[in-house]
Amino acid sequence: MKAIVYKDARQVELKEVEDARIEAETDALIRITTAGICGSDLHMYEGRSSAEKGTVLGHENMGTVIKTGSAVKSIQVGDRVVIPFNVACGFCFNCERGFTNACLTVNDDAPTGGYGYAGMGPYRGGQAELLRVPFADFNCLKLPGTVGDGLEDDFLLLSDVFPTAYHSTELAHVRPGSTVAIFGAGPVGLNAALCSVIKGASEVYVVDNVQERLQKAKDIGAIPIDFSDGDPADQIMELRKKNSLIRGALRPGEEKMAGVMCGIDAVGYQARSFGSPKKENPVQVLESLVKIINPTGNLGIVGVYTSEDPHGRNKDAKQGILNLPWGDLFEKGIAVGTGQCPVKKYNRFLRDLIISGRAKPSFIVSHRLSLEEAVDAYEKFDERNNGYTKVLLKPALGQKNAA
């Protein structure tokens, strides 16, 4: 089968590899119809992970079941399914409690498993023609409709982006009437804004410096904040200060709550310096969020932080050790939630939001390409070139072109 394979730092290639196959009686084999290139894939692409050469990439996957093991009962050949990026068994201590992001049985080296990602087990990714899905009854989410219909791209985002975005709003305790600041207007940040709006947040601020992304935030009812115009926390506080209705609702002393109650980091350790965007400042976003979140507020972190970054700016950063404003965070009593999303906890309900028309997370998708175009797409997506917001790969496009 054809697959996108990690070759070296900033090098991926389209390569013929051994076909995915049934390896256990609980497996299913799916033919990939759509796979996403994720911002997290870029950490590997840039050589900033322990990814091994030859790794088949891709943890955002959906397709059609073409074969099942004899123990698979609820998933059948012909079913249209989307796969959580978490590989999970469904029966270990953590899975039984809903923490499928920390499955204890699928990876000998860590309490987590995933497709085509460094440190997350031996599972090949789905930026390919075929994918083996372990524990298929548990991991496959059945979908309605037909391949290539108007919901294809929305359903693909149930593999990671949409649930991760929703998870960030849960970690940040977004509720009806909440005030929210989201740093990062990539796919997860924009969908976090969408989820916050769906949940009934009163104000949603989205911070970035890419104009087309900020426009997308505005299009869904969020307030765009361009960090090129100055400290984003100060910008948000100034906007709230200028709002006479907000000021008029405050009792004496409540002016101390000039920020927001909910903050979301959708950037991670490759955050850019607000003053010099070409330079990285891995703690910039967290520092700004601690500044803008009100006392007793909540911080949700879904931007990726790693314990190994070969390109870290110093010895500590190379090991994921960062200096954070813990004093301010403690004094404010800010609650912090972080970690990978347990996709299974949310994907069924988010699927039904898509089916009902309440949510269309694919508003972020900018490119739909063949596997043959993926090598170029990785380079351009990494550079944020030409409007590359979210890239989806569709193996059938290459087959049609070849025909």
Side-chain angles (χ1 to χ4, degrees):
M1 68 178 187
K2 293 179 180 178
I4 302 301
V5 173
Y6 177 73
K7 189 176 181 180
D8 208 336
R10 287 189 162 80
Q11 294 183 53
V12 296
E13 61 180 335
L14 178 62
K15 188 176 180 180
E16 290 282 344
V17 301
E18 182 183 358
D19 282 355
R21 66 184 190 281
I22 299 291
E23 298 180 24
E25 296 307 317
T26 51
D27 289 352
L29 186 66
I30 70 170
R31 185 172 303 283
I32 294 290
T33 57
T34 305
I37 300 180
C38 180
S40 297
D41 291 327
L42 299 182
H43 301 317
M44 292 185 292
Y45 175 74
E46 294 173 359
R48 301 185 67 160
S49 76
S50 59
E52 297 180 1
K53 296 178 181 179
T55 297
V56 176
L57 301 173
H59 58 269
E60 299 180 355
N61 309 307
M62 72 175 288
T64 303
V65 177
I66 59 173
K67 189 175 182 181
T68 63
S70 61
V72 177
K73 303 302 180 184
S74 63
I75 296 297
Q76 302 175 353
V77 171
D79 282 349
R80 184 189 196 191
V81 295
V82 64
I83 314 302
F85 78 86
N86 320 113
V87 178
C89 68
F91 54 75
C92 73
F93 178 69
N94 285 344
C95 283
E96 282 187 340
R97 296 182 301 125
F99 295 102
T100 54
N101 54 317
C103 180
L104 300 171
T105 71
V106 297
N107 184 357
D108 290 341
D109 298 322
T112 184
Y115 300 93
Y117 205 85
M120 293 184 69
Y123 308 99
R124 293 197 295 177
Q127 291 172 13
E129 294 177 307
L130 301 171
L131 178 73
R132 172 206 169 207
V133 181
F135 303 106
D137 280 316
F138 185 69
N139 287 305
C140 291
L141 178 66
K142 188 177 178 182
L143 303 169
T146 57
V147 172
D149 62 16
L151 297 178
E152 176 91 8
D153 297 347
D154 295 298
F155 285 151
L156 178 278
L157 294 175
L158 291 168
S159 61
D160 182 356
V161 170
F162 196 21
T164 295
Y166 191 87
H167 183 57
S168 76
T169 67
E170 289 291 283
L171 293 175
H173 284 233
V174 177
R175 299 292 183 265
S178 292
T179 49
V180 187
I182 300 166
F183 281 64
V188 170
L190 287 171
N191 267 275
L194 175 65
C195 291
S196 297
V197 170
I198 289 173
K199 283 185 165 189
S202 60
E203 296 177 1
V204 181
Y205 299 92
V206 177
V207 178
D208 208 294
N209 72 332
V210 179
Q211 293 306 310
E212 57 204 317
R213 294 182 172 192
L214 291 172
Q215 182 59 50
K216 286 183 180 293
K218 186 175 181 180
D219 291 344
I220 60 170
I223 302 166
I225 302 293
D226 185 346
F227 68 71
S228 301
D229 295 334
D231 185 298
D234 289 343
Q235 289 189 60
I236 294 170
M237 285 189 279
E238 185 63 23
L239 285 173
R240 289 177 55 75
K241 183 179 178 180
K242 287 180 178 179
N243 189 320
S244 60
L245 294 177
I246 292 175
R247 290 202 320 271
L250 299 178
R251 299 181 181 187
E254 291 181 346
E255 66 279 354
K256 300 178 182 69
M257 307 290 270
V260 299
M261 292 305 299
C262 310
I264 293 171
D265 175 0
V267 181
Y269 73 104
Q270 288 188 258
R272 299 289 176 176
S273 169
F274 297 146
S276 303
K278 291 185 178 181
K279 297 180 180 179
E280 288 186 3
N281 183 345
V283 298
Q284 180 88 88
V285 164
L286 291 173
E287 288 175 342
S288 199
L289 279 164
V290 171
K291 180 178 180 180
I292 192 60
I293 295 173
N294 288 331
T296 72
N298 291 270
L299 169 58
I301 303 171
V302 292
V304 173
Y305 290 85
T306 69
S307 58
E308 182 178 357
D309 176 14
H311 292 187
R313 61 182 181 177
N314 55 43
K315 181 180 178 181
D316 283 345
K318 291 179 188 297
Q319 301 175 64
I321 300 171
L322 306 174
N323 291 320
L324 298 174
W326 285 107
D328 291 339
L329 189 146
F330 180 86
E331 288 178 3
K332 282 187 164 186
I334 295 173
V336 180
T338 188
Q340 292 178 3
C341 171
V343 173
K344 282 282 294 183
K345 184 175 182 179
Y346 310 114
N347 65 353
R348 181 182 296 268
F349 306 104
L350 296 177
R351 175 199 65 186
D352 293 347
L353 277 176
I354 292 170
I355 291 171
S356 71
R358 291 285 309 282
K360 193 163 185 63
S362 67
F363 78 97
I364 62 171
V365 175
S366 58
H367 293 74
R368 299 162 180 85
L369 305 173
S370 66
L371 287 176
E372 286 75 11
E373 297 171 289
V375 173
D376 183 59
Y378 260 94
E379 180 179 354
K380 290 180 177 176
F381 184 37
D382 187 49
E383 295 173 351
R384 305 299 191 267
N385 267 357
N386 302 320
Y388 275 70
T389 305
K390 182 64 179 180
V391 178
L392 302 187
L393 303 176
K394 298 177 182 287
L397 289 178
Q399 296 166 9
K400 290 177 183 177
N401 292 339

